[in-house]
Amino acid sequence: MRIVISVFAFLLLLVGTYYFLTGYRSAFEADQACHSQKWTDYADNIAFGCDHDLETKQWILFEEGKNHEPAKVITRFRY
């Protein structure tokens, strides 16, 4: 039983470390990354945009839906 708990705790630690190290440190960094990717990948195409989601603490690069369809999320930049 102790082995199972130890393995579970170790996996939880690994996931937490990965989550902490791969995110941005501030909303400003996430904003800059979103707009930079938008500019380099989609240039001035008005169908693509970046938006800030306060509840989940992330910037979202999205493509607007056509004919009132939902937007398609391309990338999330969490901080």
Side-chain angles (χ1 to χ4, degrees), residues 3 8 11 28 35 43 48 52-53 61 64 72 74 76:
I3 293 174
F8 181 72
L11 290 175
F28 176 76
H35 285 91
F48 294 89
H52 187 217
D53 186 358
L61 176 61
E64 291 184 13
K72 177 183 172 189
I74 310 238
R76 298 173 191 271

Side-chain angles (χ1 to χ4, degrees), residues 45-59:
N45 190 339
I46 61 170
F48 294 89
C50 289
D51 192 24
H52 187 217
D53 186 358
L54 292 172
E55 291 180 14
T56 59
K57 296 180 75 174
Q58 61 187 355
W59 276 86

Side-chain angles (χ1 to χ4, degrees), residues 5 7 12 14 19 21-22 33 38 40 45-46 48 51 54 57 67 70-72 78:
I5 293 172
V7 169
L12 189 62
L14 282 178
Y19 188 79
L21 293 177
T22 58
K38 177 184 174 248
T40 57
N45 190 339
I46 61 170
F48 294 89
D51 192 24
L54 292 172
K57 296 180 75 174
N67 297 325
K72 177 183 172 189
R78 61 182 175 75

Side-chain angles (χ1 to χ4, degrees), residues 19-34:
Y19 188 79
F20 176 75
L21 293 177
T22 58
Y24 293 95
R25 293 190 178 269
S26 69
F28 176 76
E29 290 176 355
D31 170 40
Q32 292 295 301
C34 184

